[in-house]
């Protein structure tokens, strides 16, 4: 029996891996998509309308459309940020959304296989071997491939084996509970058309907590890099405080969320990483789905050049392009998180800033367009001056 040879093996079937597999299959390459199956990443599930357009995702995958975000300060002061006429925050259920992406890739020619990645092996042939098991304790299976795309999450086994310093990636650990949404009309505590974000040290000492609507269900979650902080305890407190404790719990999930892109995405030979494995989740906001799919696409484009030319240097183009388009936003968000999330006093001031109409307009424009907005320079100047006033303590927090 002849040995299988793929052009690309994609390890991990989340939004990034499924997007890369789909794009490569559409381009005519022989692709294998390896995914463990049955695992759902803890995620608020927010996606901008641009994602649906850029990646040809149907509207019917949205389970809710949020028209506002509410920021809640340590003092419990609430600031509503209406989206306005420019769009909405789409909400997806990751179990349905991710499976749709995987099924699309398979429909376009990618070969799906269920299994857990074990290792990359090398012998006297130029193409490496990907080893995996279909079930725990099962026989080791091997396939040969010209290129491996590691899209297997923040603690990527592919990256750990092949990318220098990948294990040092800084992460926030996220935990959420999917609950049945409360029945009846919207209340101050829960509104099915609003995303609530809690900037309170009691709920997260270094990140934030959230309640995101998903139609018939809702995500109640929290993130923190503090290993001694009880994420489950914080979620329990939220549910008690918001009268959500009696809502049925559908499932509980937890996972690390990376907050800084790796300095290198490829091994200079035949491996490249994407999505959480590459560290591309937005700091401060934790937004990851759009960036994961964008990362999967740029990796697929670099992979096509690699497959056509055999030149490993082509793989470097993926990170360069992504950082050229999104690196400045990531840098700004990382600075925001480092400063504003460091104490309740600063969180209070941050929420006060969110009440500013200029801040709201440019925040939503940047979210919808996924780039810094340059159309209103005077608004940027006003925001800069107000920001300086908050930083220097010259402006009241409430």
């Amino acid at each position: 029996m002849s040995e299988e040879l793929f052009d690309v093996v994609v390890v991990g079937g989340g939004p990034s891996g499924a997007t890369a597999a789909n794009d490569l299959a559409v381009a005519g390459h022989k692709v294998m998509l390896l995914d463990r199956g049955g695992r759902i990443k803890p995620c608020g599930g927010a996606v901008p309308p641009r994602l649906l357009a850029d990646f040809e995702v149907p509207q019917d995958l949205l389970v809710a459309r949020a028209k506002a975000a509410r920021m809640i300060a340590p003092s419990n002061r609430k600031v509503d940020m209406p989206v306005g006429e420019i769009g909405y925050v789409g909400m997806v259920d990751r179990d349905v959304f991710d499976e749709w992406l995987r099924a699309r890739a398979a429909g376009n020619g990618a070969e799906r296989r269920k299994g857990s990645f074990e290792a990359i092996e090398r012998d006297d042939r130029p193409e490496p071997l990907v080893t995996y098991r279909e079930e725990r304790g099962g026989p080791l299976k091997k396939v040969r491939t010209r290129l491996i795309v590691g899209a297997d999450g923040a603690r990527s086994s592919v990256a750990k084996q092949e990318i220098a310093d990948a294990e040092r990636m800084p992460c926030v650990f996220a935990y959420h509970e999917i609950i049945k949404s409360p029945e009846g009309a919207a209340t101050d505590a829960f509104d099915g058309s609003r995303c609530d974000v809690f900037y309170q040290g009691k709920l997260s000492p270094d990140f934030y907590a959230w309640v995101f609507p998903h139609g018939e269900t809702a995500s109640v979650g929290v993130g923190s890099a503090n290993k001694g902080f009880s994420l489950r305890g914080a979620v329990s407190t939220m549910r008690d405080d918001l009268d959500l404790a009696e809502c049925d719990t559908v499932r509980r999930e937890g996972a690390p969320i990376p907050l800084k892109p790796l300095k290198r995405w490829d091994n200079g030979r035949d491996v490249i990483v994407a999505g959480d494995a590459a560290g591309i989740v937005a700091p401060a906001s934790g937004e990851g789905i759009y960036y994961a799919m964008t990362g999967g696409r740029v990796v697929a484009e670099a992979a096509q050049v690699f497959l056509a030319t055999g030149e490993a240097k082509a793989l470097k183009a993926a990170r360069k392009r992504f950082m050229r388009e999104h690196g400045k936003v990531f840098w700004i968000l990382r600075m925001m998180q480092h400063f504003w999330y460091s104490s309740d006093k600063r969180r209070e001031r941050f929420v006060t800033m969110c009440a500013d109409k200029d801040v709201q307009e440019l925040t939503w424009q940047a979210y919808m367009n996924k780039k810094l907005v340059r159309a209103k320079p005077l608004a940027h100047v006003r925001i800069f001056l107000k920001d300086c006033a908050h930083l220097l303590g010259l402006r009241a927090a409430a």
Side-chain angles (χ1 to χ4, degrees):
M1 185 175 180
S2 61
E3 188 176 57
E4 288 183 289
L5 173 62
F6 288 90
D7 292 326
V8 184
V9 169
V10 179
V11 180
S16 189
T19 298
N22 182 69
D23 286 4
L24 287 163
V26 168
H29 296 289
K30 186 178 180 182
V31 180
M32 174 179 144
L33 177 58
L34 178 66
D35 188 65
R36 286 186 294 173
R39 180 185 177 279
I40 309 168
K41 179 185 173 183
C43 175
V47 298
R50 178 175 171 178
L51 180 147
L52 307 185
D54 286 0
F55 297 97
E56 299 180 313
V57 173
Q59 290 271 345
D60 60 15
L61 282 177
L62 298 182
V63 294
R65 291 172 174 80
K67 298 297 291 184
R70 170 171 287 184
M71 309 301 182
I72 300 97
S75 65
N76 214 37
R77 180 191 179 201
K78 302 175 179 67
V79 170
D80 287 349
M81 298 178 62
V83 178
E85 300 301 318
I86 62 174
Y88 56 85
V89 180
M91 309 303 296
V92 298
D93 285 336
R94 287 293 301 271
D95 53 343
V96 177
F97 181 75
D98 290 16
E99 175 56 25
W100 185 90
L101 293 176
R102 291 189 288 266
R104 177 170 67 173
N108 284 321
E111 183 173 335
R112 289 182 65 176
R113 296 201 186 170
K114 182 179 178 181
S116 297
F117 169 82
E118 288 286 326
I120 297 168
E121 296 181 356
R122 303 182 187 279
D123 53 20
D124 57 356
R125 289 186 55 178
E127 303 90 358
L129 289 159
V130 173
T131 66
Y132 68 98
R133 299 181 193 275
E134 293 181 343
E135 56 186 27
R136 181 173 296 186
L140 193 66
K141 294 181 176 294
K142 302 182 180 183
V143 295
R144 197 174 292 275
T145 183
R146 296 177 60 193
L147 178 68
I148 299 154
V149 175
D152 51 334
R155 298 294 187 225
S156 166
S157 297
V158 173
K160 184 177 180 180
Q161 180 177 337
E162 295 288 333
I163 309 296
D165 298 326
E167 69 278 2
R168 299 180 184 178
M169 179 190 295
C171 291
V172 162
F173 198 86
Y175 169 77
H176 78 162
E177 296 177 2
I178 297 294
I179 65 171
K180 289 286 186 180
S181 296
E183 296 181 358
T187 66
D188 187 63
F190 180 84
D191 186 334
S193 65
R194 186 187 70 219
C195 295
D196 291 351
V197 186
F198 296 79
Y199 296 100
Q200 300 179 340
K202 68 176 184 179
L203 296 179
S204 174
D206 52 357
F207 203 56
Y208 65 82
W210 68 85
V211 177
F212 287 174
H214 283 223
E216 295 182 357
T217 62
S219 166
V220 183
V222 63
S224 176
N226 187 330
K227 294 182 179 179
F229 185 76
S230 174
L231 301 179
R232 286 178 177 262
V235 170
S236 178
T237 297
M238 290 173 66
R239 292 184 64 173
D240 286 339
D241 291 348
L242 299 172
D243 294 326
L244 300 175
E246 299 303 316
C247 297
D248 291 341
T249 302
V250 178
R251 62 179 186 269
R252 298 177 174 88
E253 297 152 352
I257 308 295
L259 292 178
K260 187 176 181 180
L262 289 178
K263 293 183 178 180
R264 183 165 184 167
W265 291 6
D266 69 281
N267 68 347
R269 186 176 180 182
D270 49 22
V271 174
I272 187 169
V273 292
D276 283 12
I280 49 175
V281 173
S285 70
E287 183 188 358
I289 301 176
Y290 175 82
Y291 293 114
M293 295 178 72
T294 299
R297 176 150 290 173
V298 298
V299 163
E301 291 171 352
Q304 290 182 62
V305 178
F306 168 81
L307 293 171
T309 64
E311 296 183 357
K313 65 180 182 181
L315 299 176
K316 298 183 184 300
R319 188 185 188 280
K320 288 181 179 178
R321 178 179 169 187
F322 183 91
M323 296 305 293
R324 183 171 61 247
E325 295 180 2
H326 303 289
K328 186 175 292 186
V329 171
F330 273 44
W331 183 85
I332 291 172
L333 291 175
R334 189 159 58 249
M335 293 302 101
M336 283 178 56
Q337 180 179 338
H338 177 74
F339 183 83
W340 291 115
Y341 295 6
S342 61
S343 71
D344 271 354
K345 181 178 179 179
R346 291 180 177 178
R347 293 184 188 98
E348 196 74 39
R349 292 188 177 278
F350 175 72
V351 173
T352 297
M353 288 178 60
C354 292
D356 186 274
K357 298 303 180 184
D358 290 328
V359 171
Q360 292 186 11
E361 181 179 359
L362 293 184
T363 295
W364 287 124
Q365 289 284 356
Y367 175 78
M368 299 299 169
N369 297 307
K370 287 292 169 276
K371 60 183 178 182
L372 297 177
V373 181
R374 306 178 187 278
K376 295 189 175 182
L378 290 179
H380 282 282
V381 171
R382 290 196 297 269
I383 290 172
F384 173 75
L385 293 175
K386 294 168 186 173
D387 197 22
C388 287
H390 282 287
L391 287 170
L392 296 172
L394 302 176
R395 194 179 179 100

